[in-house]
Amino acid sequence: AELNISRPNMVAMESTDDCSFEDLIAHSLRLDPDVIVVGEVRGREASRFITIAAAGHPACTTIHADGKQKSLIRLHRMIRLAEPNFDRAELDGAIDAVCHVRLDPDTGRRALELWEPQDT
């Protein structure tokens, strides 16, 4: 598992050849979670992740990218693997915040940038 979180009432799930990311999302939503935490999205599963976030479920994940803009571009590209006609505006409407974190050899992880979209 990518994440090692020890919290009361936490359910850890891990995809396998027999249980896909989409299956895990469906199962987790049936549990009526307070928040869904996904270790890292790397491909087509980004589409399912953004769908649950856009539907109002509190959810967070990580994406490897250098900064807010590059992370949104990368996320959009991953979503388009599953949904070729996905509109970037839909992505922007589903994101509540982006925190750019960098691992510094001397000080550990540091938040470099926090971005929250402005309500229009």
Side-chain angles (χ1 to χ4, degrees):
E2 290 183 27
L3 300 173
N4 185 10
I5 302 172
S6 179
R7 305 280 302 176
N9 301 320
M10 204 247 350
V11 177
M13 298 180 187
E14 193 170 346
S15 64
T16 64
D17 290 340
D18 296 327
C19 186
S20 70
F21 182 86
E22 288 80 7
D23 295 335
L24 294 180
I25 293 295
H27 293 309
S28 68
L29 291 173
R30 289 185 190 110
L31 296 172
D32 191 26
D34 292 331
V35 66
I36 297 173
V37 179
V38 177
E40 178 187 357
V41 291
R42 296 180 182 100
R44 298 173 59 91
E45 70 274 7
S47 173
R48 180 63 69 158
F49 176 82
I50 212 66
T51 299
I52 64 167
H57 297 284
C60 62
T61 191
T62 59
I63 298 168
H64 287 230
D66 189 22
K68 183 254 321 177
Q69 191 61 36
K70 288 183 181 178
S71 67
L72 292 174
I73 291 168
R74 184 155 188 249
L75 182 57
H76 186 236
R77 286 181 180 156
M78 288 185 283
I79 292 168
R80 290 188 64 175
L81 291 172
E83 297 182 42
N85 296 324
F86 187 84
D87 182 4
R88 170 69 190 261
E90 293 178 65
L91 173 62
D92 294 341
I95 302 291
D96 290 327
V98 174
C99 181
H100 179 209
V101 176
R102 178 165 288 154
L103 182 59
D104 184 288
D106 299 325
T107 60
R109 297 191 197 292
R110 284 187 23 206
L112 299 178
E113 176 184 19
L114 177 62
W115 173 80
E116 296 176 273
Q118 301 299 314
D119 291 335
T120 55

